[in-house]
Amino acid sequence: MQSMHQDIDHILVSEEQLQAKVAELGARISADYEGRDLLLVSILKGAVVFMADLMRAVTIPCGIDFMVVSSYGGANTSSTGLVKIIKDLDQDLSGKDVLIVEDILDTGITLSHLMPMLQMRRPRSLRLCTILSKPSRRKADIEPDYCGFEVPDEFVVGYGLDYDEKYRNLPYVGVLKPEVYSK
Ligand code: IMP
Ligand code: MG
């Protein structure tokens, strides 16, 4: 039987490490937002796995909402960095304590454009939680308020992150074998 696992060169963050970190982040967020009107906002599709785990690790009442964004300009978008909202949030952000739940902060360009757009909707607070971060790739002046793991400058897949829309369902974060890209 064909398996995704055989395309993985090495694992960067194991399933056990991810689950332990999510539990830790959930506990921190639950303490920090106690008594607040917390809304977890996730950007599809990469953050869907982290969102599903994190929301169950949060023990205080909270809402969830999703948005879809795309960058203008096709393949070269992360350098131009303008974001377009394809599917907006269902909920009004005014007065809410909004926590953006993201898969990975890479250059940071997407969120450096999106966060001011959300800030204009007057949430009570707006912060960022990412499960992964590649600090060496940062181009925009943005850092996560909560971060799971820092990873090196390698293209990673799994735990929601894709290559060509595949590998999102791997339970760990790994690096693909070089030959997968030349298929
Ligand atoms: P940036 O921070 O604006 O550069 O873009 C971040 C987005 O690019 C993430 O939300 C991912 O969807 C995608 N991305 C960045 N690095 C990787 C990676 O290593 N693997 C898969 N997707 C990535
Ligand atoms: Mg993403």
Side-chain angles (χ1 to χ4, degrees):
M1 199 172 80
Q2 205 193 337
S3 162
M4 296 177 294
H5 302 283
Q6 64 203 26
D7 290 345
I8 298 299
D9 188 74
H10 57 280
I11 293 175
L12 278 183
V13 190
S14 72
E15 191 170 358
E16 294 73 26
Q17 288 175 301
L18 285 163
Q19 294 316 318
K21 185 63 77 175
V22 168
E24 181 194 315
L25 289 171
R28 271 177 63 200
I29 291 163
S30 302
D32 293 354
Y33 286 86
E34 173 88 61
R36 302 282 199 89
D37 192 3
L38 176 61
L39 179 66
L40 302 175
V41 165
S42 169
I43 301 164
L44 297 174
K45 299 176 244 183
V48 74
V49 177
F50 179 39
M51 176 67 140
D53 283 348
L54 184 68
M55 64 187 280
R56 287 175 292 176
V58 168
T59 53
I60 59 170
C62 71
I64 61 166
D65 208 343
F66 297 90
M67 66 193 306
V68 178
V69 302
S70 97
S71 310
Y72 291 98
N76 215 13
T77 45
S78 50
S79 51
T80 60
L82 292 166
V83 296
K84 184 164 84 170
I85 295 174
I86 306 293
K87 185 233 169 272
D88 207 341
L89 300 170
D90 295 331
Q91 301 185 40
D92 193 353
L93 299 188
S94 66
K96 299 234 167 73
D97 290 289
V98 176
L99 183 61
I100 298 179
V101 176
E102 252 292 45
D103 52 359
I104 188 165
L105 192 64
D106 184 33
T107 65
I109 291 173
T110 313
L111 282 170
S112 74
H113 284 82
L114 187 63
M115 288 184 78
M117 289 162 78
L118 297 180
Q119 194 71 63
M120 282 165 56
R121 302 180 187 185
R122 305 249 170 261
R124 185 177 183 277
S125 64
L126 179 64
R127 298 173 86 193
L128 172 63
C129 175
T130 67
I131 188 64
L132 302 175
S133 174
K134 282 186 199 165
S136 62
R137 292 259 306 162
R138 207 80 80 242
K139 291 200 182 100
D141 182 22
I142 180 169
E143 287 306 320
D145 299 287
Y146 302 90
C147 177
F149 301 91
E150 294 193 344
V151 292
D153 183 7
E154 284 183 286
F155 192 80
V156 297
V157 296
Y159 203 64
L161 289 142
D162 73 303
Y163 167 64
D164 200 16
E165 291 299 329
K166 291 192 233 4
Y167 306 103
R168 293 192 195 275
N169 55 325
L170 282 172
Y172 51 78
V173 174
V175 175
L176 288 171
K177 290 176 181 165
E179 61 261 33
V180 176
Y181 297 105
S182 46
K183 266 184 195 165

